[in-house]
PDB file of all heavy atoms in Angstrom:
ATOM      1  N   VAL A  39     -16.313 -24.570   8.094  1.00  0.00           N
ATOM      2  CA  VAL A  39     -17.388 -25.364   7.511  1.00  0.00           C
ATOM      3  C   VAL A  39     -16.910 -25.921   6.181  1.00  0.00           C
ATOM      4  O   VAL A  39     -16.041 -25.336   5.523  1.00  0.00           O
ATOM      5  CB  VAL A  39     -18.659 -24.501   7.329  1.00  0.00           C
ATOM      6  CG1 VAL A  39     -18.435 -23.380   6.332  1.00  0.00           C
ATOM      7  CG2 VAL A  39     -19.869 -25.344   6.969  1.00  0.00           C
ATOM      8  N   GLN A  40     -17.448 -27.056   5.794  1.00  0.00           N
ATOM      9  CA  GLN A  40     -17.105 -27.644   4.510  1.00  0.00           C
ATOM     10  C   GLN A  40     -17.868 -26.955   3.373  1.00  0.00           C
ATOM     11  O   GLN A  40     -18.944 -26.366   3.600  1.00  0.00           O
ATOM     12  CB  GLN A  40     -17.419 -29.135   4.502  1.00  0.00           C
ATOM     13  CG  GLN A  40     -16.507 -29.960   5.391  1.00  0.00           C
ATOM     14  CD  GLN A  40     -16.779 -31.447   5.255  1.00  0.00           C
ATOM     15  OE1 GLN A  40     -17.887 -31.872   4.958  1.00  0.00           O
ATOM     16  NE2 GLN A  40     -15.744 -32.256   5.483  1.00  0.00           N
ATOM     17  N   THR A  41     -17.343 -27.049   2.193  1.00  0.00           N
ATOM     18  CA  THR A  41     -18.039 -26.541   1.017  1.00  0.00           C
ATOM     19  C   THR A  41     -19.443 -27.135   0.949  1.00  0.00           C
ATOM     20  O   THR A  41     -19.623 -28.340   1.136  1.00  0.00           O
ATOM     21  CB  THR A  41     -17.272 -26.898  -0.261  1.00  0.00           C
ATOM     22  OG1 THR A  41     -15.986 -26.248  -0.229  1.00  0.00           O
ATOM     23  CG2 THR A  41     -18.014 -26.433  -1.493  1.00  0.00           C
ATOM     24  N   GLY A  42     -20.406 -26.263   0.717  1.00  0.00           N
ATOM     25  CA  GLY A  42     -21.796 -26.690   0.678  1.00  0.00           C
ATOM     26  C   GLY A  42     -22.504 -26.589   2.020  1.00  0.00           C
ATOM     27  O   GLY A  42     -23.723 -26.761   2.090  1.00  0.00           O
ATOM     28  N   GLY A  43     -21.761 -26.329   3.058  1.00  0.00           N
ATOM     29  CA  GLY A  43     -22.340 -26.246   4.398  1.00  0.00           C
ATOM     30  C   GLY A  43     -22.960 -24.890   4.683  1.00  0.00           C
ATOM     31  O   GLY A  43     -23.030 -24.011   3.822  1.00  0.00           O
ATOM     32  N   SER A  44     -23.403 -24.732   5.923  1.00  0.00           N
ATOM     33  CA  SER A  44     -24.109 -23.525   6.341  1.00  0.00           C
ATOM     34  C   SER A  44     -23.534 -22.979   7.648  1.00  0.00           C
ATOM     35  O   SER A  44     -23.018 -23.735   8.470  1.00  0.00           O
ATOM     36  CB  SER A  44     -25.602 -23.810   6.542  1.00  0.00           C
ATOM     37  OG  SER A  44     -26.216 -24.237   5.350  1.00  0.00           O
ATOM     38  N   LEU A  45     -23.645 -21.681   7.800  1.00  0.00           N
ATOM     39  CA  LEU A  45     -23.308 -21.006   9.048  1.00  0.00           C
ATOM     40  C   LEU A  45     -24.303 -19.867   9.235  1.00  0.00           C
ATOM     41  O   LEU A  45     -24.822 -19.322   8.264  1.00  0.00           O
ATOM     42  CB  LEU A  45     -21.895 -20.421   9.010  1.00  0.00           C
ATOM     43  CG  LEU A  45     -20.696 -21.342   9.243  1.00  0.00           C
ATOM     44  CD1 LEU A  45     -19.407 -20.556   9.044  1.00  0.00           C
ATOM     45  CD2 LEU A  45     -20.733 -21.969  10.609  1.00  0.00           C
ATOM     46  N   ARG A  46     -24.512 -19.518  10.494  1.00  0.00           N
ATOM     47  CA  ARG A  46     -25.353 -18.373  10.813  1.00  0.00           C
ATOM     48  C   ARG A  46     -24.564 -17.400  11.668  1.00  0.00           C
ATOM     49  O   ARG A  46     -24.135 -17.764  12.773  1.00  0.00           O
ATOM     50  CB  ARG A  46     -26.621 -18.799  11.549  1.00  0.00           C
ATOM     51  CG  ARG A  46     -27.635 -17.681  11.734  1.00  0.00           C
ATOM     52  CD  ARG A  46     -28.734 -18.098  12.673  1.00  0.00           C
ATOM     53  NE  ARG A  46     -29.869 -17.179  12.656  1.00  0.00           N
ATOM     54  CZ  ARG A  46     -30.639 -16.941  13.716  1.00  0.00           C
ATOM     55  NH1 ARG A  46     -30.390 -17.550  14.853  1.00  0.00           N
ATOM     56  NH2 ARG A  46     -31.661 -16.099  13.610  1.00  0.00           N
ATOM     57  N   LEU A  47     -24.380 -16.206  11.151  1.00  0.00           N
ATOM     58  CA  LEU A  47     -23.692 -15.164  11.888  1.00  0.00           C
ATOM     59  C   LEU A  47     -24.710 -14.286  12.611  1.00  0.00           C
ATOM     60  O   LEU A  47     -25.807 -14.057  12.104  1.00  0.00           O
ATOM     61  CB  LEU A  47     -22.852 -14.300  10.951  1.00  0.00           C
ATOM     62  CG  LEU A  47     -21.834 -15.019  10.066  1.00  0.00           C
ATOM     63  CD1 LEU A  47     -21.051 -14.001   9.244  1.00  0.00           C
ATOM     64  CD2 LEU A  47     -20.912 -15.897  10.866  1.00  0.00           C
ATOM     65  N   SER A  48     -24.312 -13.820  13.772  1.00  0.00           N
ATOM     66  CA  SER A  48     -25.134 -12.892  14.535  1.00  0.00           C
ATOM     67  C   SER A  48     -24.317 -11.666  14.881  1.00  0.00           C
ATOM     68  O   SER A  48     -23.097 -11.743  15.028  1.00  0.00           O
ATOM     69  CB  SER A  48     -25.627 -13.534  15.831  1.00  0.00           C
ATOM     70  OG  SER A  48     -26.401 -14.683  15.578  1.00  0.00           O
ATOM     71  N   CYS A  49     -24.990 -10.545  15.025  1.00  0.00           N
ATOM     72  CA  CYS A  49     -24.322  -9.308  15.414  1.00  0.00           C
ATOM     73  C   CYS A  49     -25.264  -8.530  16.305  1.00  0.00           C
ATOM     74  O   CYS A  49     -26.330  -8.096  15.857  1.00  0.00           O
ATOM     75  CB  CYS A  49     -23.937  -8.497  14.188  1.00  0.00           C
ATOM     76  SG  CYS A  49     -23.254  -6.877  14.569  1.00  0.00           S
ATOM     77  N   ALA A  50     -24.866  -8.366  17.551  1.00  0.00           N
ATOM     78  CA  ALA A  50     -25.693  -7.660  18.523  1.00  0.00           C
ATOM     79  C   ALA A  50     -25.131  -6.265  18.766  1.00  0.00           C
ATOM     80  O   ALA A  50     -23.937  -6.107  19.030  1.00  0.00           O
ATOM     81  CB  ALA A  50     -25.742  -8.444  19.834  1.00  0.00           C
ATOM     82  N   ALA A  51     -26.005  -5.284  18.678  1.00  0.00           N
ATOM     83  CA  ALA A  51     -25.617  -3.892  18.889  1.00  0.00           C
ATOM     84  C   ALA A  51     -26.080  -3.421  20.258  1.00  0.00           C
ATOM     85  O   ALA A  51     -27.166  -3.789  20.714  1.00  0.00           O
ATOM     86  CB  ALA A  51     -26.220  -3.009  17.809  1.00  0.00           C
ATOM     87  N   SER A  52     -25.259  -2.601  20.894  1.00  0.00           N
ATOM     88  CA  SER A  52     -25.625  -2.039  22.187  1.00  0.00           C
ATOM     89  C   SER A  52     -25.076  -0.623  22.288  1.00  0.00           C
ATOM     90  O   SER A  52     -24.144  -0.255  21.563  1.00  0.00           O
ATOM     91  CB  SER A  52     -25.085  -2.894  23.332  1.00  0.00           C
ATOM     92  OG  SER A  52     -23.666  -2.951  23.285  1.00  0.00           O
ATOM     93  N   GLY A  53     -25.659   0.147  23.180  1.00  0.00           N
ATOM     94  CA  GLY A  53     -25.130   1.466  23.473  1.00  0.00           C
ATOM     95  C   GLY A  53     -25.628   2.588  22.602  1.00  0.00           C
ATOM     96  O   GLY A  53     -25.206   3.731  22.769  1.00  0.00           O
ATOM     97  N   SER A  54     -26.537   2.277  21.671  1.00  0.00           N
ATOM     98  CA  SER A  54     -26.985   3.330  20.774  1.00  0.00           C
ATOM     99  C   SER A  54     -28.139   4.109  21.395  1.00  0.00           C
ATOM    100  O   SER A  54     -29.116   3.509  21.848  1.00  0.00           O
ATOM    101  CB  SER A  54     -27.427   2.746  19.432  1.00  0.00           C
ATOM    102  OG  SER A  54     -27.966   3.771  18.617  1.00  0.00           O
ATOM    103  N   ARG A  55     -27.994   5.432  21.390  1.00  0.00           N
ATOM    104  CA  ARG A  55     -29.110   6.257  21.826  1.00  0.00           C
ATOM    105  C   ARG A  55     -30.072   6.500  20.678  1.00  0.00           C
ATOM    106  O   ARG A  55     -31.170   7.009  20.884  1.00  0.00           O
ATOM    107  CB  ARG A  55     -28.584   7.591  22.354  1.00  0.00           C
ATOM    108  CG  ARG A  55     -27.720   7.484  23.604  1.00  0.00           C
ATOM    109  CD  ARG A  55     -27.420   8.871  24.126  1.00  0.00           C
ATOM    110  NE  ARG A  55     -26.692   9.658  23.140  1.00  0.00           N
ATOM    111  CZ  ARG A  55     -26.672  10.979  23.136  1.00  0.00           C
ATOM    112  NH1 ARG A  55     -27.355  11.665  24.017  1.00  0.00           N
ATOM    113  NH2 ARG A  55     -25.965  11.628  22.233  1.00  0.00           N
ATOM    114  N   PHE A  56     -29.622   6.159  19.479  1.00  0.00           N
ATOM    115  CA  PHE A  56     -30.431   6.362  18.288  1.00  0.00           C
ATOM    116  C   PHE A  56     -30.852   5.020  17.737  1.00  0.00           C
ATOM    117  O   PHE A  56     -30.170   4.019  17.906  1.00  0.00           O
ATOM    118  CB  PHE A  56     -29.637   7.121  17.230  1.00  0.00           C
ATOM    119  CG  PHE A  56     -29.058   8.419  17.702  1.00  0.00           C
ATOM    120  CD1 PHE A  56     -27.750   8.487  18.140  1.00  0.00           C
ATOM    121  CD2 PHE A  56     -29.822   9.563  17.717  1.00  0.00           C
ATOM    122  CE1 PHE A  56     -27.203   9.675  18.584  1.00  0.00           C
ATOM    123  CE2 PHE A  56     -29.293  10.759  18.157  1.00  0.00           C
ATOM    124  CZ  PHE A  56     -27.983  10.818  18.593  1.00  0.00           C
ATOM    125  N   ARG A  57     -31.960   5.016  17.083  1.00  0.00           N
ATOM    126  CA  ARG A  57     -32.380   3.800  16.429  1.00  0.00           C
ATOM    127  C   ARG A  57     -31.416   3.518  15.283  1.00  0.00           C
ATOM    128  O   ARG A  57     -31.076   4.405  14.510  1.00  0.00           O
ATOM    129  CB  ARG A  57     -33.796   3.938  15.882  1.00  0.00           C
ATOM    130  CG  ARG A  57     -34.245   2.699  15.131  1.00  0.00           C
ATOM    131  CD  ARG A  57     -35.635   2.866  14.563  1.00  0.00           C
ATOM    132  NE  ARG A  57     -36.018   1.700  13.782  1.00  0.00           N
ATOM    133  CZ  ARG A  57     -37.181   1.554  13.180  1.00  0.00           C
ATOM    134  NH1 ARG A  57     -38.079   2.501  13.261  1.00  0.00           N
ATOM    135  NH2 ARG A  57     -37.454   0.467  12.489  1.00  0.00           N
ATOM    136  N   LEU A  58     -30.994   2.292  15.190  1.00  0.00           N
ATOM    137  CA  LEU A  58     -30.127   1.907  14.097  1.00  0.00           C
ATOM    138  C   LEU A  58     -30.930   1.866  12.808  1.00  0.00           C
ATOM    139  O   LEU A  58     -32.000   1.260  12.770  1.00  0.00           O
ATOM    140  CB  LEU A  58     -29.476   0.556  14.377  1.00  0.00           C
ATOM    141  CG  LEU A  58     -28.443   0.551  15.505  1.00  0.00           C
ATOM    142  CD1 LEU A  58     -27.974  -0.859  15.778  1.00  0.00           C
ATOM    143  CD2 LEU A  58     -27.275   1.451  15.175  1.00  0.00           C
ATOM    144  N   ASN A  59     -30.424   2.485  11.789  1.00  0.00           N
ATOM    145  CA  ASN A  59     -31.107   2.474  10.504  1.00  0.00           C
ATOM    146  C   ASN A  59     -30.773   1.176   9.783  1.00  0.00           C
ATOM    147  O   ASN A  59     -31.246   0.127  10.161  1.00  0.00           O
ATOM    148  CB  ASN A  59     -30.715   3.709   9.707  1.00  0.00           C
ATOM    149  CG  ASN A  59     -31.149   4.979  10.423  1.00  0.00           C
ATOM    150  OD1 ASN A  59     -32.275   5.070  10.916  1.00  0.00           O
ATOM    151  ND2 ASN A  59     -30.269   5.942  10.517  1.00  0.00           N
ATOM    152  N   ASP A  60     -29.937   1.240   8.778  1.00  0.00           N
ATOM    153  CA  ASP A  60     -29.572  -0.015   8.132  1.00  0.00           C
ATOM    154  C   ASP A  60     -28.480  -0.719   8.942  1.00  0.00           C
ATOM    155  O   ASP A  60     -27.653  -0.091   9.587  1.00  0.00           O
ATOM    156  CB  ASP A  60     -29.125   0.200   6.684  1.00  0.00           C
ATOM    157  CG  ASP A  60     -28.031   1.229   6.553  1.00  0.00           C
ATOM    158  OD1 ASP A  60     -28.258   2.379   7.002  1.00  0.00           O
ATOM    159  OD2 ASP A  60     -26.964   0.904   6.002  1.00  0.00           O
ATOM    160  N   MET A  61     -28.525  -2.014   8.905  1.00  0.00           N
ATOM    161  CA  MET A  61     -27.489  -2.876   9.478  1.00  0.00           C
ATOM    162  C   MET A  61     -27.103  -3.872   8.404  1.00  0.00           C
ATOM    163  O   MET A  61     -27.915  -4.186   7.517  1.00  0.00           O
ATOM    164  CB  MET A  61     -28.001  -3.619  10.712  1.00  0.00           C
ATOM    165  CG  MET A  61     -28.435  -2.713  11.846  1.00  0.00           C
ATOM    166  SD  MET A  61     -29.005  -3.642  13.294  1.00  0.00           S
ATOM    167  CE  MET A  61     -27.431  -4.281  13.924  1.00  0.00           C
ATOM    168  N   GLY A  62     -25.897  -4.373   8.483  1.00  0.00           N
ATOM    169  CA  GLY A  62     -25.515  -5.306   7.440  1.00  0.00           C
ATOM    170  C   GLY A  62     -24.156  -5.912   7.644  1.00  0.00           C
ATOM    171  O   GLY A  62     -23.578  -5.839   8.743  1.00  0.00           O
ATOM    172  N   TRP A  63     -23.652  -6.497   6.562  1.00  0.00           N
ATOM    173  CA  TRP A  63     -22.405  -7.260   6.616  1.00  0.00           C
ATOM    174  C   TRP A  63     -21.512  -6.925   5.422  1.00  0.00           C
ATOM    175  O   TRP A  63     -21.999  -6.786   4.294  1.00  0.00           O
ATOM    176  CB  TRP A  63     -22.702  -8.761   6.592  1.00  0.00           C
ATOM    177  CG  TRP A  63     -23.485  -9.230   7.771  1.00  0.00           C
ATOM    178  CD1 TRP A  63     -24.840  -9.268   7.896  1.00  0.00           C
ATOM    179  CD2 TRP A  63     -22.954  -9.727   9.007  1.00  0.00           C
ATOM    180  NE1 TRP A  63     -25.193  -9.751   9.128  1.00  0.00           N
ATOM    181  CE2 TRP A  63     -24.051 -10.046   9.829  1.00  0.00           C
ATOM    182  CE3 TRP A  63     -21.668  -9.950   9.494  1.00  0.00           C
ATOM    183  CZ2 TRP A  63     -23.894 -10.560  11.117  1.00  0.00           C
ATOM    184  CZ3 TRP A  63     -21.515 -10.462  10.763  1.00  0.00           C
ATOM    185  CH2 TRP A  63     -22.618 -10.761  11.559  1.00  0.00           C
ATOM    186  N   TYR A  64     -20.230  -6.832   5.713  1.00  0.00           N
ATOM    187  CA  TYR A  64     -19.181  -6.770   4.719  1.00  0.00           C
ATOM    188  C   TYR A  64     -18.238  -7.924   5.021  1.00  0.00           C
ATOM    189  O   TYR A  64     -18.284  -8.513   6.103  1.00  0.00           O
ATOM    190  CB  TYR A  64     -18.419  -5.443   4.784  1.00  0.00           C
ATOM    191  CG  TYR A  64     -19.106  -4.293   4.092  1.00  0.00           C
ATOM    192  CD1 TYR A  64     -20.286  -3.757   4.600  1.00  0.00           C
ATOM    193  CD2 TYR A  64     -18.573  -3.731   2.934  1.00  0.00           C
ATOM    194  CE1 TYR A  64     -20.915  -2.694   3.961  1.00  0.00           C
ATOM    195  CE2 TYR A  64     -19.190  -2.659   2.294  1.00  0.00           C
ATOM    196  CZ  TYR A  64     -20.357  -2.162   2.821  1.00  0.00           C
ATOM    197  OH  TYR A  64     -20.979  -1.108   2.193  1.00  0.00           O
ATOM    198  N   ARG A  65     -17.373  -8.225   4.073  1.00  0.00           N
ATOM    199  CA  ARG A  65     -16.363  -9.251   4.309  1.00  0.00           C
ATOM    200  C   ARG A  65     -15.053  -8.865   3.656  1.00  0.00           C
ATOM    201  O   ARG A  65     -15.028  -8.100   2.695  1.00  0.00           O
ATOM    202  CB  ARG A  65     -16.828 -10.623   3.793  1.00  0.00           C
ATOM    203  CG  ARG A  65     -16.985 -10.711   2.282  1.00  0.00           C
ATOM    204  CD  ARG A  65     -17.615 -12.035   1.895  1.00  0.00           C
ATOM    205  NE  ARG A  65     -17.748 -12.175   0.444  1.00  0.00           N
ATOM    206  CZ  ARG A  65     -18.388 -13.165  -0.153  1.00  0.00           C
ATOM    207  NH1 ARG A  65     -18.967 -14.119   0.562  1.00  0.00           N
ATOM    208  NH2 ARG A  65     -18.454 -13.206  -1.478  1.00  0.00           N
ATOM    209  N   GLN A  66     -13.986  -9.415   4.189  1.00  0.00           N
ATOM    210  CA  GLN A  66     -12.661  -9.134   3.645  1.00  0.00           C
ATOM    211  C   GLN A  66     -11.825 -10.401   3.670  1.00  0.00           C
ATOM    212  O   GLN A  66     -11.577 -10.968   4.743  1.00  0.00           O
ATOM    213  CB  GLN A  66     -11.962  -8.030   4.431  1.00  0.00           C
ATOM    214  CG  GLN A  66     -10.658  -7.565   3.804  1.00  0.00           C
ATOM    215  CD  GLN A  66     -10.151  -6.273   4.407  1.00  0.00           C
ATOM    216  OE1 GLN A  66     -10.526  -5.890   5.503  1.00  0.00           O
ATOM    217  NE2 GLN A  66      -9.293  -5.578   3.677  1.00  0.00           N
ATOM    218  N   ALA A  67     -11.418 -10.829   2.486  1.00  0.00           N
ATOM    219  CA  ALA A  67     -10.542 -11.988   2.353  1.00  0.00           C
ATOM    220  C   ALA A  67      -9.091 -11.491   2.319  1.00  0.00           C
ATOM    221  O   ALA A  67      -8.836 -10.326   1.980  1.00  0.00           O
ATOM    222  CB  ALA A  67     -10.873 -12.753   1.080  1.00  0.00           C
ATOM    223  N   PRO A  68      -8.141 -12.359   2.648  1.00  0.00           N
ATOM    224  CA  PRO A  68      -6.726 -11.940   2.639  1.00  0.00           C
ATOM    225  C   PRO A  68      -6.307 -11.383   1.295  1.00  0.00           C
ATOM    226  O   PRO A  68      -6.583 -11.984   0.245  1.00  0.00           O
ATOM    227  CB  PRO A  68      -5.988 -13.245   2.955  1.00  0.00           C
ATOM    228  CG  PRO A  68      -6.963 -14.054   3.719  1.00  0.00           C
ATOM    229  CD  PRO A  68      -8.303 -13.733   3.128  1.00  0.00           C
ATOM    230  N   GLY A  69      -5.670 -10.217   1.303  1.00  0.00           N
ATOM    231  CA  GLY A  69      -5.189  -9.611   0.082  1.00  0.00           C
ATOM    232  C   GLY A  69      -6.243  -8.930  -0.758  1.00  0.00           C
ATOM    233  O   GLY A  69      -5.941  -8.453  -1.853  1.00  0.00           O
ATOM    234  N   LYS A  70      -7.475  -8.865  -0.246  1.00  0.00           N
ATOM    235  CA  LYS A  70      -8.559  -8.248  -1.004  1.00  0.00           C
ATOM    236  C   LYS A  70      -9.173  -7.105  -0.223  1.00  0.00           C
ATOM    237  O   LYS A  70      -9.033  -7.016   0.994  1.00  0.00           O
ATOM    238  CB  LYS A  70      -9.627  -9.289  -1.353  1.00  0.00           C
ATOM    239  CG  LYS A  70      -9.149 -10.382  -2.290  1.00  0.00           C
ATOM    240  CD  LYS A  70     -10.307 -11.268  -2.728  1.00  0.00           C
ATOM    241  CE  LYS A  70      -9.855 -12.324  -3.716  1.00  0.00           C
ATOM    242  NZ  LYS A  70     -10.992 -13.171  -4.179  1.00  0.00           N
ATOM    243  N   GLN A  71      -9.877  -6.248  -0.949  1.00  0.00           N
ATOM    244  CA  GLN A  71     -10.568  -5.154  -0.288  1.00  0.00           C
ATOM    245  C   GLN A  71     -11.836  -5.660   0.385  1.00  0.00           C
ATOM    246  O   GLN A  71     -12.410  -6.683   0.002  1.00  0.00           O
ATOM    247  CB  GLN A  71     -10.923  -4.071  -1.318  1.00  0.00           C
ATOM    248  CG  GLN A  71      -9.717  -3.322  -1.859  1.00  0.00           C
ATOM    249  CD  GLN A  71     -10.131  -2.147  -2.729  1.00  0.00           C
ATOM    250  OE1 GLN A  71     -11.195  -2.137  -3.323  1.00  0.00           O
ATOM    251  NE2 GLN A  71      -9.275  -1.135  -2.791  1.00  0.00           N
ATOM    252  N   ARG A  72     -12.251  -4.905   1.395  1.00  0.00           N
ATOM    253  CA  ARG A  72     -13.509  -5.232   2.038  1.00  0.00           C
ATOM    254  C   ARG A  72     -14.642  -5.042   1.037  1.00  0.00           C
ATOM    255  O   ARG A  72     -14.686  -4.050   0.309  1.00  0.00           O
ATOM    256  CB  ARG A  72     -13.710  -4.343   3.267  1.00  0.00           C
ATOM    257  CG  ARG A  72     -14.882  -4.738   4.135  1.00  0.00           C
ATOM    258  CD  ARG A  72     -14.963  -3.903   5.395  1.00  0.00           C
ATOM    259  NE  ARG A  72     -13.815  -4.084   6.268  1.00  0.00           N
ATOM    260  CZ  ARG A  72     -13.763  -3.652   7.522  1.00  0.00           C
ATOM    261  NH1 ARG A  72     -14.794  -2.996   8.038  1.00  0.00           N
ATOM    262  NH2 ARG A  72     -12.682  -3.835   8.254  1.00  0.00           N
ATOM    263  N   GLU A  73     -15.558  -6.007   1.001  1.00  0.00           N
ATOM    264  CA  GLU A  73     -16.646  -5.937   0.037  1.00  0.00           C
ATOM    265  C   GLU A  73     -17.996  -6.100   0.725  1.00  0.00           C
ATOM    266  O   GLU A  73     -18.122  -6.800   1.734  1.00  0.00           O
ATOM    267  CB  GLU A  73     -16.483  -7.010  -1.050  1.00  0.00           C
ATOM    268  CG  GLU A  73     -16.577  -8.433  -0.561  1.00  0.00           C
ATOM    269  CD  GLU A  73     -16.545  -9.450  -1.705  1.00  0.00           C
ATOM    270  OE1 GLU A  73     -16.394  -9.053  -2.873  1.00  0.00           O
ATOM    271  OE2 GLU A  73     -16.691 -10.658  -1.418  1.00  0.00           O
ATOM    272  N   PHE A  74     -18.979  -5.471   0.127  1.00  0.00           N
ATOM    273  CA  PHE A  74     -20.353  -5.519   0.625  1.00  0.00           C
ATOM    274  C   PHE A  74     -20.926  -6.925   0.452  1.00  0.00           C
ATOM    275  O   PHE A  74     -20.715  -7.577  -0.583  1.00  0.00           O
ATOM    276  CB  PHE A  74     -21.188  -4.503  -0.131  1.00  0.00           C
ATOM    277  CG  PHE A  74     -22.669  -4.648   0.063  1.00  0.00           C
ATOM    278  CD1 PHE A  74     -23.263  -4.254   1.245  1.00  0.00           C
ATOM    279  CD2 PHE A  74     -23.463  -5.185  -0.941  1.00  0.00           C
ATOM    280  CE1 PHE A  74     -24.626  -4.390   1.422  1.00  0.00           C
ATOM    281  CE2 PHE A  74     -24.822  -5.309  -0.779  1.00  0.00           C
ATOM    282  CZ  PHE A  74     -25.402  -4.917   0.405  1.00  0.00           C
ATOM    283  N   VAL A  75     -21.677  -7.373   1.451  1.00  0.00           N
ATOM    284  CA  VAL A  75     -22.348  -8.669   1.378  1.00  0.00           C
ATOM    285  C   VAL A  75     -23.866  -8.490   1.379  1.00  0.00           C
ATOM    286  O   VAL A  75     -24.551  -8.924   0.454  1.00  0.00           O
ATOM    287  CB  VAL A  75     -21.931  -9.580   2.548  1.00  0.00           C
ATOM    288  CG1 VAL A  75     -22.714 -10.893   2.500  1.00  0.00           C
ATOM    289  CG2 VAL A  75     -20.431  -9.838   2.531  1.00  0.00           C
ATOM    290  N   ALA A  76     -24.389  -7.853   2.407  1.00  0.00           N
ATOM    291  CA  ALA A  76     -25.844  -7.704   2.518  1.00  0.00           C
ATOM    292  C   ALA A  76     -26.159  -6.596   3.511  1.00  0.00           C
ATOM    293  O   ALA A  76     -25.361  -6.303   4.404  1.00  0.00           O
ATOM    294  CB  ALA A  76     -26.499  -9.009   2.964  1.00  0.00           C
ATOM    295  N   ARG A  77     -27.339  -5.986   3.339  1.00  0.00           N
ATOM    296  CA  ARG A  77     -27.816  -4.995   4.311  1.00  0.00           C
ATOM    297  C   ARG A  77     -29.317  -5.133   4.460  1.00  0.00           C
ATOM    298  O   ARG A  77     -30.003  -5.627   3.555  1.00  0.00           O
ATOM    299  CB  ARG A  77     -27.449  -3.580   3.913  1.00  0.00           C
ATOM    300  CG  ARG A  77     -28.201  -3.006   2.747  1.00  0.00           C
ATOM    301  CD  ARG A  77     -27.996  -1.495   2.649  1.00  0.00           C
ATOM    302  NE  ARG A  77     -26.608  -1.142   2.498  1.00  0.00           N
ATOM    303  CZ  ARG A  77     -25.990  -1.027   1.318  1.00  0.00           C
ATOM    304  NH1 ARG A  77     -26.655  -1.233   0.198  1.00  0.00           N
ATOM    305  NH2 ARG A  77     -24.714  -0.697   1.267  1.00  0.00           N
ATOM    306  N   ILE A  78     -29.807  -4.697   5.590  1.00  0.00           N
ATOM    307  CA  ILE A  78     -31.237  -4.700   5.850  1.00  0.00           C
ATOM    308  C   ILE A  78     -31.596  -3.394   6.539  1.00  0.00           C
ATOM    309  O   ILE A  78     -30.904  -2.937   7.450  1.00  0.00           O
ATOM    310  CB  ILE A  78     -31.656  -5.926   6.693  1.00  0.00           C
ATOM    311  CG1 ILE A  78     -33.163  -5.963   6.877  1.00  0.00           C
ATOM    312  CG2 ILE A  78     -30.930  -5.965   8.042  1.00  0.00           C
ATOM    313  CD1 ILE A  78     -33.671  -7.307   7.430  1.00  0.00           C
ATOM    314  N   PHE A  79     -32.683  -2.789   6.085  1.00  0.00           N
ATOM    315  CA  PHE A  79     -33.139  -1.530   6.632  1.00  0.00           C
ATOM    316  C   PHE A  79     -34.175  -1.803   7.733  1.00  0.00           C
ATOM    317  O   PHE A  79     -34.673  -2.912   7.872  1.00  0.00           O
ATOM    318  CB  PHE A  79     -33.730  -0.662   5.527  1.00  0.00           C
ATOM    319  CG  PHE A  79     -32.710  -0.239   4.502  1.00  0.00           C
ATOM    320  CD1 PHE A  79     -32.440  -1.030   3.392  1.00  0.00           C
ATOM    321  CD2 PHE A  79     -32.000   0.934   4.653  1.00  0.00           C
ATOM    322  CE1 PHE A  79     -31.500  -0.651   2.457  1.00  0.00           C
ATOM    323  CE2 PHE A  79     -31.053   1.328   3.726  1.00  0.00           C
ATOM    324  CZ  PHE A  79     -30.798   0.520   2.622  1.00  0.00           C
ATOM    325  N   GLY A  80     -34.473  -0.752   8.488  1.00  0.00           N
ATOM    326  CA  GLY A  80     -35.450  -0.900   9.554  1.00  0.00           C
ATOM    327  C   GLY A  80     -36.806  -1.351   9.046  1.00  0.00           C
ATOM    328  O   GLY A  80     -37.555  -2.014   9.762  1.00  0.00           O
ATOM    329  N   SER A  81     -37.100  -1.026   7.785  1.00  0.00           N
ATOM    330  CA  SER A  81     -38.366  -1.426   7.175  1.00  0.00           C
ATOM    331  C   SER A  81     -38.403  -2.906   6.849  1.00  0.00           C
ATOM    332  O   SER A  81     -39.457  -3.467   6.596  1.00  0.00           O
ATOM    333  CB  SER A  81     -38.589  -0.634   5.886  1.00  0.00           C
ATOM    334  OG  SER A  81     -37.555  -0.936   4.950  1.00  0.00           O
ATOM    335  N   GLY A  82     -37.211  -3.521   6.817  1.00  0.00           N
ATOM    336  CA  GLY A  82     -37.123  -4.932   6.450  1.00  0.00           C
ATOM    337  C   GLY A  82     -36.653  -5.152   5.022  1.00  0.00           C
ATOM    338  O   GLY A  82     -36.387  -6.295   4.641  1.00  0.00           O
ATOM    339  N   SER A  83     -36.538  -4.089   4.243  1.00  0.00           N
ATOM    340  CA  SER A  83     -36.045  -4.265   2.879  1.00  0.00           C
ATOM    341  C   SER A  83     -34.564  -4.622   2.909  1.00  0.00           C
ATOM    342  O   SER A  83     -33.840  -4.244   3.836  1.00  0.00           O
ATOM    343  CB  SER A  83     -36.272  -3.003   2.062  1.00  0.00           C
ATOM    344  OG  SER A  83     -35.565  -1.921   2.612  1.00  0.00           O
TER     345      SER A  83
END
């Protein structure tokens, strides 16, 4: 995408016998450590 543009990522979970608590996203750029981006709890927070 160009600078200023938008993307929507999706992540589908399967196989869990337990309810997933928090779900979220991390990212890792070349030569850098993985970093936190966002998380969402089952409550929606």
Side-chain angles (χ1 to χ4, degrees):
V39 64
Q40 290 185 331
T41 297
S44 298
L45 281 175
R46 188 190 192 211
L47 305 182
S48 300
C49 174
S52 61
S54 175
R55 295 187 299 158
F56 306 96
R57 177 182 177 179
L58 291 174
N59 298 315
D60 53 303
M61 299 181 73
W63 297 88
Y64 279 69
R65 66 187 182 187
Q66 188 167 20
K70 295 187 177 182
Q71 291 188 333
R72 189 175 297 192
E73 65 174 3
F74 167 75
V75 176
R77 72 166 59 89
I78 184 167
F79 295 88
S81 62
S83 62

